[in-house]
Amino acid sequence: MGEPLGPEKKFHLITRNLQEVLGEEKLKEVLGERELKVYWGTATTGKPHVAYFVPMSKIADFLKAGCEVTILFADLHAYLDNMKAPWELLELRTQYYEQVIKAMLESIGVPLDKLKFVKGTDFQLSREYTLDVYRLSSVMTEHDAKKAGAEVVKQVEHPLLSGLLYPGLQALDEEYLKVDAQFGGVDQRKIFTLAEKYLPSLGYAKRVHLMNPMVPGLTGSKMSSSEEESKIDLLDRKEDVKKKLKKAFCEPGNVQNNGVLAFVKHVLFPLNSEFVIKRSEKFGGDKVYTLYEEVENEFAQELLHPGDLKASVEVALNKLLDPIRKKFESPEMRKLTGLAYPDPSKSKGAMKGNPKNSDDEEIIPSRLDVRVGKVISVERHPDADSLYLEKVDVGEAEPRTVVSGLVAYVAKEDLEDRLVVLLCNLKPQKMRGVESQAMLLCASIEGDPRKPDDELKPKKKVFEKLQVDLKISSECVAQWKDKPLMTRLGQITCKMLKGGNIS
């Protein structure tokens, strides 16, 4: 056995690669007296994907630091979050999560006997917990509950009361699990601060909060179970992993919103302390990196090619996924997967001979309602320094409000009175409290006369599926599958993004 770790080394292990820690002094105080008790919770909703290796690698760090770690399968939260997990599937989803999370931990060498696994409904339906929910609801404001869940609870046009309960229950879990700290993504920060504000009003102590950064998905945005193009599933075949990584956003020299680099930083280095780039001798041969900063610096300087990075991540990722795939090849696990996540095509509606219109499902650019508009005004977003509100005239009675970060790259005065191209039939979405009624984009494709959809259904991911093949050619022409995007005045060009992606 190795030499026992002192409080400072434990603190380093616990906090490395985290984006933020709330309560550092309390954390140091606990480590000076005893081992830290910490929990990580996951709502049992969509299938876990490879981004779950990020919290798994931190759990490995916690165990190395001697922490007492509890993993909470938050089944009740999954139901409260706009019924992401239907009540009749709740138990099956929880069983699936338990099996897949344990398989992930075993894959990275974490001993399961040192972990405590708890199901939310095992204690959240007790008399004492229920009374505390009522007590908390008598002091917590609707405004604070809504604000706390804004980045975690699914946002819908007509919110359910259940979504307001969600943050309070997560706060109470800290007391009922008897922990010193809660660990989660930085998207849960508002829930953590809600817990710090309201638990003392019930006579309970503030906890330490440890936050991971949100790892970008394959398209550059957050990796999400509900966005197929952004993620790699834990049970994806090797050929699917290769295909998805090949399409992943990994622009040469760009280290921002790069999901491939983020996986190296937050999973592969913490687990292995090194990363190996595999390449042929004519391109420099194999290279071993012992610091993530070396990988990032060489990629930023374009000394490391995206193709080599992706190929090496593919090898390392498949090593992690192989034992998980093997476990889920058994008849029992196959049956559990099918029951927990039934095939939508076998639903009652489909079985009654009510197939969806195949024309509606066709993924072609003419389904996008793309228009040229004139920017009337630009002003800073009231709650986000990096976002701006643009009023754009697209020939309607009222100008459309567009929320974007474009002014971070183009001077405000240069954008006003400029013609821009908008995608106008996306469902309006609130961005930090302001509704964006369109997306800055490009246009339609030549020879494709179909009328655009009235409104693109978010769950169909029409734009996201098309976006994979939207590029700027080496001649600076906007294209979809190598076909030029056109307006009535001709091809769309963009001199600043030669060879780039359109997103």
Side-chain angles (χ1 to χ4, degrees), residues 247-493:
K247 289 185 176 181
F249 175 77
C250 194
E251 185 180 33
N254 188 348
V255 299
Q256 302 298 319
N257 297 320
N258 189 323
V260 184
L261 271 178
F263 192 79
V264 175
K265 178 179 181 179
H266 294 286
V267 177
L268 300 181
F269 263 100
L271 294 177
N272 305 312
S273 301
E274 66 176 29
F275 177 61
V276 181
I277 288 288
K278 298 278 188 181
R279 57 190 174 193
S280 64
E281 289 297 328
K282 67 177 181 178
F283 294 121
D286 295 354
K287 183 168 182 178
V288 178
Y289 295 89
T290 56
L291 292 172
Y292 168 75
E293 290 72 19
E294 295 174 352
V295 179
E296 185 175 290
N297 289 340
E298 291 204 2
F299 189 84
Q301 297 170 42
E302 299 190 29
L303 299 174
L304 173 57
H305 192 275
D308 294 330
L309 177 64
K310 289 181 179 182
S312 302
V313 168
E314 179 189 340
V315 171
L317 179 55
N318 277 318
K319 274 187 181 178
L320 295 175
L321 296 180
D322 279 341
I324 303 172
R325 295 185 187 115
K326 186 174 181 181
K327 177 175 180 175
F328 276 79
E329 285 174 357
S330 71
E332 296 82 6
M333 291 298 101
R334 285 178 179 271
K335 182 180 179 181
L336 174 60
T337 304
L339 290 173
Y341 298 94
D343 187 344
S345 66
K346 296 179 181 178
S347 64
K348 291 181 181 179
M351 293 175 69
K352 289 180 180 177
N354 187 26
K356 294 176 182 176
N357 189 321
S358 59
D359 187 51
D360 287 342
E361 296 303 305
E362 190 177 6
I363 306 299
I364 53 176
S366 58
R367 293 181 65 181
L368 308 180
D369 180 8
V370 182
R371 307 184 202 175
V372 175
K374 182 178 180 180
V375 178
I376 300 172
S377 65
V378 180
E379 59 185 66
R380 191 181 292 275
H381 192 295
D383 292 324
D385 290 342
S386 60
L387 296 177
Y388 289 79
L389 312 181
E390 292 120 43
K391 295 286 185 181
V392 184
D393 182 1
V394 290
E396 297 174 332
E398 297 290 335
R400 293 205 178 203
T401 299
V402 181
V403 183
S404 80
L406 183 61
V407 188
Y409 307 99
V410 179
K412 175 181 173 181
E413 56 271 20
D414 290 341
L415 190 60
E416 290 177 341
D417 295 326
R418 178 180 286 192
L419 295 179
V420 293
V421 184
L422 300 181
L423 176 57
C424 293
N425 60 336
L426 282 176
K427 184 176 181 179
Q429 290 188 332
K430 284 192 175 182
M431 298 180 69
R432 301 295 292 271
V434 177
E435 187 173 82
S436 185
Q437 299 167 324
M439 177 190 290
L440 287 171
L441 194 64
C442 280
S444 57
I445 196 162
E446 187 176 30
D448 199 352
R450 176 179 157 157
K451 181 180 179 296
D453 291 16
D454 292 333
E455 181 178 271
L456 298 175
K457 305 300 181 186
K459 289 185 178 180
K460 299 297 182 184
K461 305 295 178 187
V462 174
F463 173 68
E464 289 82 355
K465 291 174 182 176
L466 286 166
Q467 190 270 332
V468 174
D469 296 303
L470 288 168
K471 309 286 182 185
I472 304 295
S473 73
S474 56
E475 289 77 33
C476 299
V477 177
Q479 296 180 334
W480 179 74
K481 289 189 175 179
D482 300 324
K483 298 176 184 178
L485 299 181
M486 306 289 292
T487 68
R488 285 175 293 179
L489 299 179
Q491 294 181 348
I492 296 173
T493 60

Side-chain angles (χ1 to χ4, degrees), residues 213-225:
M214 300 309 296
V215 175
L218 301 181
T219 58
S221 59
K222 174 185 171 182
M223 193 175 290
S224 168
S225 295

